[in-house]
Amino acid sequence: MRNGMGICSVGVSCPGGVGVEALLDTAGWPVEGVPEVGRRGAIRQVAKIDCGSEPFNRWRMTPRLRRASPLSHHLIEAVAQCLEARPGIDRARVGVVGAFFLGALEYSVRFYKGLTDDGRRFASPVLFPETVVNSPLSHVVAELGIGGPVYSQTGDTSCWASALRTAQVWLANGDADHVVVVGAEEFNAHELDGLGAVRWFEGGAVLRLAEGAGAVLLGPQGSDQLARITRVVDGFCYRTRGEAVEAARGCLAAIGGGARLADTASTWIRPVVDGLLGGNTVLPLSAGPRYEAFTASCAWNTILATRSAGPVVVPYWGLSHQIGAAEIMC
Amino acid sequence: MRWNCNRNQSGCRKTLRFPCLAAVVSFLSVIEDNDVVVTGWGCVTPLGGDAASTWSRLVSGEGVRGSLGCIPVEGCRVGDGAEAVLPELPWIGAKEVGRLSRASRLALPAAREAMAHAGLLDADGRSVRPLIETSVSTTAGGMELGEAFLRGVWGGSEWRGQAARVARYPTHQQIGDLQRHLGFSGPVMIVANACASGANAIGHAADLIRAGMADMVLAGGYEALCELVFCGFDSLQALSPDACRPFDVDRNGLMLGEGAAFLVIERAGAAKARGAVARARVAGYGHTTDVYHITRPEPAGEPLERAMRQALAKAGMEPGGIGHLNAHGTGTPFNDGAEAAAFARVFGDGIDAVRTTSTKAAIGHTLGAAGAIEAVFCMKALETGELPPQINTATPVAGLANALTRPGDRLQKPAVMSVNLGFGGSNAALVFTKS
């Protein structure tokens, strides 16, 4: 990445609350045991958000969000915090890039369950539009009066790095004055079945799932900014867990430098990372148990890195396709 | 870096006020190193397994519509659509082909054709470049595998096979299939802006090159028919029971289709350095978001108009320079009305000279692939001078009565535009010119 970007403000919606302070210690996050749907006996620890309760419920009566999925609520809270922290910027010149691994999972499952159980003729015309990947972000820009370009990007967890690059393109080409990059995920119990099927709960580190969103408002580098994103690398692809080792090695070599490496690995890739680093110290970003909320976690880790002294490399372990990383300079 | 900085600096376009003169100058203009050019393309559609066969049938006025065999549609109000014949993949082992999602079965041959056209494949059909950035669009990815997974969970079926379904279902896994079977790696951007995604993917590829962040991008889109999405459009009663009739006063809905298309997009200087042929230029890209309604465009088409004007401005062109418009034209009352209104304002009195076609009447609405497939049709129009006639439309809406492409019409100006709209208010417009 040739031109760095400044982080002007951040926004967080997570099981611990809203705002960056809610990320600092996850020990107090509300956790419940959720059983897998398809296999009896497997109960997983999940940290969820109750969108109907304080402080998450301030959007529930807005016209576009009354029937929207939890994902939309996570998104809008994080994006709104970014914009509210910078009241002077022209929202008509703000772009938004959303990064999603699982996307609108809740309504997609509900819609498909409905047509499976009740018959195709009775598929819900209310739910279907909400299953479309870009619908949640559409609600957000409509409600917040954002007028710049909008992309919803998908991929594995590392699509957060791709979203950062999109922001850089828009800023470099003058398509927007500022860009909000937001990662968000919502939890649905079928997620447990899916991740169980691909053995993400086995071996390595314990996988604790969470949901929520994190957002960063980016602009050209300048003063009065929380931190700078000086480099973004991505595109270190793999197909097997064996290939992931080489991809991780390549990514870390590409980002290089003497910056400390943030501790962000979970599930099956944790042992891979530990093996690669050979016991070298990594920088813990928060206290308490580690939760995985995929693209939201990438956002949270990026936000937490802005509070560290000096340069920090934040790896985005994609978990099923590619690996990326960003260097954050505080 | 601005899109048209070289052009404006040279003064060859920014002072042009006469559309016909602009067209002539565009035609004569020389490619500059920082221009963004297309060096190859390929597609799979319900009309054919490659660009040549698809185009041949498209310009002869053929269309595809029939009962769908690839997905279950019993109980739906409408059961017809435009299904593609999956091309054989002889370079991939049969066992592996059996594991691929339907989306990958469509995307792989399209991408392979594009890379071969651009001179990027060796004798074994592998990429000669180990690193190629991709900018890709889809809305459903390998959805049929996700559906099978859920049915398995709800039916309490054996756990066996479920891992493969989960592993092959997400959108990035189809890109992984492309990388593995065509022999390259590199950064991946997957945009899911509903039905405008394909145009976004191509525009983003050009943006990456303009920003100096890439020299070559494999850009495109793919979409396979699936039960969830088909039933969704059926639930909205958006599917036509008989035919997709774009811009017809009696239009009554869209027809879903499937397919894939890819273009190799490069910085002209880099293409020239490797001896590639610049076949067309990606001259302009505009994209806006319409916040009017989640599924319905703003009736006056103002957000689409802004996207079209952005694309024209970035191309340094006047509307009169456009000789052909590949419209979104889904055949739904709301979409086509908004589009026609936007076209009328952008092209004004000159609209009849902009030969306009919605190719969705022939191949169906391919959702996340639509913008990419239609971009390939624009490439073929620029290459051959032929234009696909508007089929199925008997009584055009007033504003487009004389603009819709008739059989035998030919491209009179060396610039074409393609527009797409999508759920969530996505609008995108691309301008391509002859190289």
Side-chain angles (χ1 to χ4, degrees):
Chain A
M1 189 165 97
R2 293 184 317 168
N3 305 313
M5 299 179 287
I7 299 178
C8 305
S9 58
V10 300
V12 172
S13 179
C14 68
V18 298
V20 67
E21 290 73 20
L23 292 176
L24 300 180
D25 188 346
T26 61
W29 285 16
V31 177
E32 61 181 277
V34 181
E36 289 184 17
V37 178
R39 284 194 293 193
R40 293 181 188 279
I43 305 236
R44 309 295 181 191
Q45 299 301 304
V46 181
K48 294 161 63 177
I49 290 173
D50 177 3
C51 294
S53 67
E54 295 282 352
F56 305 104
N57 62 357
R58 67 166 164 148
W59 305 101
R60 67 194 165 97
M61 294 310 291
T62 51
R64 290 282 291 258
L65 274 86
R66 277 178 299 192
R67 292 190 297 204
S69 66
L71 184 67
S72 303
H73 290 256
H74 307 335
L75 273 169
I76 196 168
E77 177 58 39
V79 176
Q81 287 173 35
C82 282
L83 297 177
E84 287 162 0
R86 293 285 176 149
I89 67 170
D90 178 6
R91 292 190 183 191
R93 292 282 302 157
V94 172
V96 185
V97 190
F100 307 100
F101 172 46
L102 296 170
L105 187 63
E106 174 73 20
Y107 279 22
S108 297
V109 169
R110 203 187 297 179
F111 175 77
Y112 193 61
K113 180 73 171 163
L115 72 90
T116 303
D117 288 352
D118 303 332
R120 297 186 186 93
R121 178 63 64 103
F122 303 102
S124 168
V126 174
L127 283 178
F128 175 63
E130 300 291 343
T131 69
V132 181
V133 176
N134 66 324
S135 288
L137 216 46
S138 168
H139 296 318
V140 171
V141 300
E143 289 296 344
L144 299 181
I146 294 170
V150 181
Y151 279 0
S152 291
Q153 295 183 200
T154 61
D156 70 358
T157 298
S158 71
C159 73
W160 170 260
S162 174
L164 291 175
R165 290 184 79 229
T166 297
Q168 204 234 351
V169 169
W170 288 353
L171 292 171
N173 288 347
D175 294 325
D177 295 339
H178 294 84
V179 180
V180 178
V181 179
V182 57
E185 306 289 349
E186 65 183 6
F187 175 77
N188 176 281
H190 288 83
E191 189 179 331
L192 302 177
D193 297 286
L195 300 184
V198 291
R199 297 181 291 121
W200 282 16
F201 291 110
E202 297 170 18
V206 173
L207 176 59
R208 299 179 187 87
L209 293 171
E211 62 179 346
V216 292
L217 176 69
L218 302 173
Q221 286 187 23
S223 58
D224 192 25
Q225 292 175 333
L226 302 176
R228 287 175 291 143
I229 299 178
T230 47
R231 298 187 70 198
V232 177
V233 297
D234 72 341
F236 296 89
C237 301
Y238 61 92
R239 292 286 286 187
T240 64
R241 293 185 180 186
E243 290 175 8
V245 178
E246 277 310 302
R249 188 174 283 129
C251 180
L252 295 178
I255 196 87
R260 293 165 300 167
L261 197 67
D263 183 10
T264 60
S266 70
T267 185
W268 66 267
I269 206 164
R270 179 81 204 204
V272 172
V273 174
D274 289 344
L276 267 181
L277 298 177
N280 285 350
T281 308
V282 290
L283 177 69
L285 292 173
S286 62
R290 180 186 314 286
Y291 287 91
E292 183 61 62
F294 308 113
T295 59
S297 287
C298 290
W300 295 339
N301 290 331
T302 304
I303 291 165
L304 286 166
T306 67
R307 301 170 66 89
S308 303
V312 178
V313 167
V314 184
Y316 308 121
W317 309 109
L319 299 177
S320 59
H321 183 214
Q322 60 176 351
I323 296 168
E327 184 182 63
I328 312 294
M329 193 76 76
C330 306
Chain B
M1 182 185 295
R2 297 283 179 179
W3 273 74
N4 54 349
C5 57
N6 290 332
R7 297 282 158 201
N8 282 341
Q9 293 301 320
S10 71
C12 72
R13 288 184 182 172
K14 68 178 183 179
T15 58
L16 297 173
R17 294 182 182 174
F18 304 101
C20 56
L21 188 57
V24 171
V25 173
S26 291
F27 182 67
L28 295 175
S29 63
V30 176
I31 289 180
E32 296 174 24
D33 279 355
N34 283 330
D35 280 352
V36 178
V37 297
V38 181
T39 55
W41 56 76
C43 69
V44 174
T45 76
L47 279 175
D50 56 31
S53 60
T54 292
W55 184 249
S56 168
R57 294 181 67 190
L58 188 71
V59 294
S60 66
E62 288 187 53
V64 173
R65 185 183 172 96
S67 299
L68 295 176
C70 63
I71 57 171
V73 294
E74 297 81 8
C76 291
R77 295 163 187 80
V78 174
D80 291 348
E83 185 173 334
V85 175
L86 296 179
E88 296 292 323
L89 305 176
W91 77 94
I92 300 173
K95 193 173 177 185
E96 170 64 5
V97 170
R99 290 188 188 125
L100 294 173
S101 64
R102 188 174 179 85
S104 288
R105 294 284 305 271
L106 295 164
L108 270 163
R112 193 174 200 249
E113 183 189 5
M115 292 175 70
H117 196 209
L120 287 174
L121 296 183
D122 64 18
D124 297 325
R126 308 283 292 174
S127 175
V128 296
R129 286 173 63 126
L131 290 176
I132 299 177
E133 184 145 4
T134 49
S135 174
V136 179
S137 66
T138 185
T139 67
M143 184 65 80
E144 89 277 13
L145 298 177
E147 293 167 354
F149 172 77
L150 286 175
R151 285 196 303 271
V153 170
W154 295 330
S157 66
E158 278 188 40
W159 206 245
R160 197 175 166 185
Q162 290 288 61
R165 292 181 185 123
V166 173
R168 298 271 182 161
Y169 149 71
T171 55
H172 54 273
Q173 294 301 341
Q174 290 94 58
I175 311 307
D177 290 334
L178 294 185
Q179 293 177 328
R180 180 180 182 191
H181 294 295
L182 295 172
F184 64 92
S185 185
V188 176
M189 194 286 267
I190 307 170
V191 63
N193 270 15
C195 309
S197 307
N200 290 136
I202 292 163
H204 185 72
D207 276 348
L208 279 166
I209 293 168
R210 301 274 182 197
M213 293 171 66
D215 269 348
M216 176 192 290
V217 183
L218 177 65
Y222 57 88
E223 203 75 76
L225 285 163
C226 67
E227 184 186 9
L228 186 149
V229 173
F230 192 91
C231 291
F233 278 98
D234 189 66
S235 76
L236 295 173
Q237 301 185 40
L239 300 178
S240 169
D242 46 19
C244 171
R245 288 186 281 270
F247 305 110
D248 194 301
V249 293
D250 296 321
R251 63 190 182 277
N252 60 1
L254 60 84
M255 172 177 71
L256 282 176
E258 62 180 352
F262 286 87
L263 296 89
V264 176
I265 298 175
E266 301 186 59
R267 190 176 64 81
K272 185 178 168 187
R274 72 176 187 91
V277 178
R279 303 176 192 279
R281 185 187 287 122
V282 187
Y285 168 47
H287 53 124
T288 59
T289 302
D290 178 352
V291 297
Y292 177 77
H293 188 268
I294 193 73
T295 60
R296 213 181 304 165
E298 190 269 321
E302 188 273 338
L304 174 62
E305 178 187 354
R306 280 192 287 118
M308 294 170 71
R309 292 194 188 282
Q310 270 183 26
L312 286 165
K314 287 179 176 175
M317 290 182 63
E318 299 290 340
I322 300 293
H324 170 59
L325 174 63
N326 190 308
H328 193 58
T330 57
T332 61
F334 292 124
N335 176 86
D336 292 11
E339 246 189 303
F343 297 163
R345 284 199 304 284
V346 171
F347 295 109
D349 293 340
I351 193 164
D352 291 352
V354 185
R355 310 311 299 159
T356 301
T357 312
S358 165
T359 46
K360 292 182 179 67
I363 64 164
H365 189 353
T366 56
L367 307 176
I373 291 174
E374 290 155 16
V376 168
F377 294 162
C378 288
M379 296 299 105
K380 294 298 290 183
L382 287 169
E383 180 186 60
T384 66
E386 298 172 304
L387 295 176
Q390 182 61 65
I391 63 170
N392 296 349
T393 302
T395 314
V397 295
L400 296 175
N402 297 314
L404 297 183
T405 310
R406 292 180 286 260
D409 281 355
R410 292 189 65 82
L411 185 64
Q412 300 296 324
K413 298 169 185 173
V416 299
M417 175 181 267
S418 183
V419 301
N420 292 103
L421 298 83
F423 278 9
S426 305
N427 294 275
L430 290 162
V431 173
F432 302 102
T433 60
K434 262 188 142 162
S435 59

